Amino acid sequence: MSSSNRSLIALDFDGTMAVGGNPVASVVKLLECGLPRDVVRVVATGRSLASIRESWPEPWPLDYLIFSSGAGLYDCSSRRLCWKRHLKKSETEWGLRLLEAEAIDYMVHFPIPDNHRFFYRRFAGHPDFERRIERYHTYAVAGEGPIELPGELTQIIAIADEERISDKLLMSLSSHYSVIRSTSPLDGRSFWLELFSKGVDKGSGLALLCDRLKIDRKEVLAVGNDFNDLHMLRWAGSAAVVEGFPLSHAYRFHTFPPASEGGAASAVMEWLSSGKSRGTG
C-alpha cells in the first residue's frame, strides 16, 4: 500500500513527448505549470543522460529522469545520480561472443555516467549502424582488434535486419540479459536489440522509483509509443500510447493523437480529469 498522497506520470521521450529530439511545446507547458503539486513528473527514456541533455538542455520541468531504459535514475532537483545498474565485464564478453559468431554489428556502452561513449565492431555495416557511428563519431571507439573492456558496462546494442536475429540467438541472449527491442530513433524504422543487466527495463526502473517514493502503482500513469515502453506500460496502474504504437494489435492501451499533436499531454489531462490521480493541487 502507498503511504504517500502523491501520484506519478512517466512519459517516454522520443516519439511520445518529443519529435525529432525536440520536446513538444504543449507537453513542456503541461509539465511546467499544468499539473497538481502532488504529481511527480518523470521522463523514462532509452537515451543516455548526455544524449537527453544534448536534445533538451537543463533545467527540466521534471522531478526524475529514468534514462538508458532503467539502467540509471537522475534526480532533476539535486542533479544527482540515484542509481546505476551495470553489466559485469564477464557478462558482456559472453554476449559479444554470440553476436560475433553471427557477424552482427554491435556497440558496447561505457559505464554510467559516460555511457554516451561506446566501443563498436562492424561486420555487415548495417545502414543504421553506420548512421549512428557518423552521428556520434566523437564518442565512438572502433574495435578492430581485441577490445579491452572496463569492469562494468551499461549495455550492448545490436543493429541488424530483424530476420538476422534467429530465435535460437534470441533465446540464448534472453537467458542472460534483459533483452529490449526498440525502433531506431535515427530513422524511425530500423531494428535495434538492446541488452542490459538482467531485470533492467523502464518498468523495473519505474517500480524502484515508486518504491523509493512510496507511491502505489495504482497511482501511476505511463505514456509511451514503442516496444521498449512495454514493460512500464504493463506495470503502471494506468497506461496510454500515442498513435503509431507497434503492438496495438496485441495490447489494448488507450490511444491518443501522435506526439506532434500533443497526444501525451492529452493522455495526462484525461487521466487527471478522470480522478485516477490523487493530485489535488
Side-chain angles (χ1 to χ4, degrees):
M1 292 293 292
S2 171
S3 60
S4 166
N5 288 323
R6 292 181 292 178
S7 52
L8 182 149
I9 60 167
L11 307 179
D12 167 56
F13 189 70
D14 291 288
T16 299
M17 66 159 287
V19 178
N22 300 307
V24 175
S26 62
V27 182
V28 174
K29 184 177 180 180
L30 178 66
L31 292 170
E32 287 175 339
C33 58
L35 296 173
R37 291 191 302 272
D38 295 335
V39 176
V40 178
R41 303 159 299 172
V42 178
V43 161
T45 179
R47 289 179 181 245
S48 68
L49 190 54
S51 177
I52 200 86
R53 282 170 169 159
E54 186 177 297
S55 286
W56 190 21
E58 292 181 271
W60 303 313
L62 301 174
D63 298 298
Y64 294 94
L65 178 76
I66 295 171
F67 63 93
S68 298
S69 295
L73 176 70
Y74 180 72
D75 184 322
C76 300
S77 298
S78 65
R79 299 195 179 188
R80 296 178 63 180
L81 285 170
C82 301
W83 77 57
K84 300 176 286 185
R85 297 193 283 174
H86 287 134
L87 288 164
K88 295 178 181 177
K89 179 179 178 180
S90 58
E91 291 178 290
T92 305
E93 290 173 334
W94 185 88
L96 297 187
R97 286 194 293 270
L98 289 186
L99 295 174
E100 289 175 0
E102 300 291 334
I104 292 173
D105 300 327
Y106 67 76
M107 300 167 179
V108 190
H109 284 253
F110 282 55
I112 294 168
D114 296 320
N115 60 318
H116 53 292
R117 300 172 58 212
F118 58 90
F119 299 104
Y120 68 88
R121 178 153 287 171
R122 177 189 290 107
F123 292 95
H126 188 280
D128 205 52
F129 180 83
E130 301 297 343
R131 189 178 295 113
R132 192 167 192 260
I133 291 171
E134 181 179 354
R135 179 163 181 173
Y136 299 112
H137 66 275
T138 305
Y139 309 122
V141 179
E144 302 299 340
I147 299 174
E148 183 56 41
L149 298 174
E152 292 184 320
L153 298 117
T154 303
Q155 72 190 101
I156 303 167
I157 298 179
I159 300 178
D161 292 330
E162 191 169 358
E163 57 269 20
R164 292 282 317 282
I165 309 295
S166 67
D167 290 343
K168 181 180 178 181
L169 175 60
L170 195 56
M171 286 181 63
S172 295
L173 293 172
S174 297
S175 69
H176 283 72
Y177 302 101
S178 177
V179 178
I180 299 175
R181 174 182 176 172
S182 60
T183 303
S184 167
L186 302 180
D187 69 2
R189 299 186 308 275
S190 294
F191 174 80
W192 289 13
L193 202 64
E194 302 187 59
L195 311 178
F196 293 90
S197 180
K198 199 75 172 172
V200 171
D201 56 61
K202 290 185 183 182
S204 68
L206 194 53
L208 286 169
L209 175 59
C210 287
D211 184 63
R212 174 188 288 249
L213 300 177
K214 295 182 168 44
I215 296 175
D216 194 287
R217 65 193 295 180
K218 292 184 294 186
E219 309 298 335
V220 175
L221 168 69
V223 187
N225 82 310
D226 201 5
F227 297 101
N228 64 346
D229 300 317
L230 186 57
H231 292 93
M232 75 169 183
L233 292 169
R234 294 178 66 183
W235 183 85
S238 299
V241 296
V242 296
E243 193 174 298
F245 180 64
L247 294 174
S248 57
H249 62 286
Y251 296 93
R252 303 300 180 186
F253 299 120
H254 193 169
T255 301
F256 287 84
S260 59
E261 297 177 18
S266 299
V268 173
M269 293 306 296
E270 182 171 305
W271 179 69
L272 289 171
S273 64
S274 71
K276 292 180 180 177
S277 162
R278 288 185 177 183
T280 57

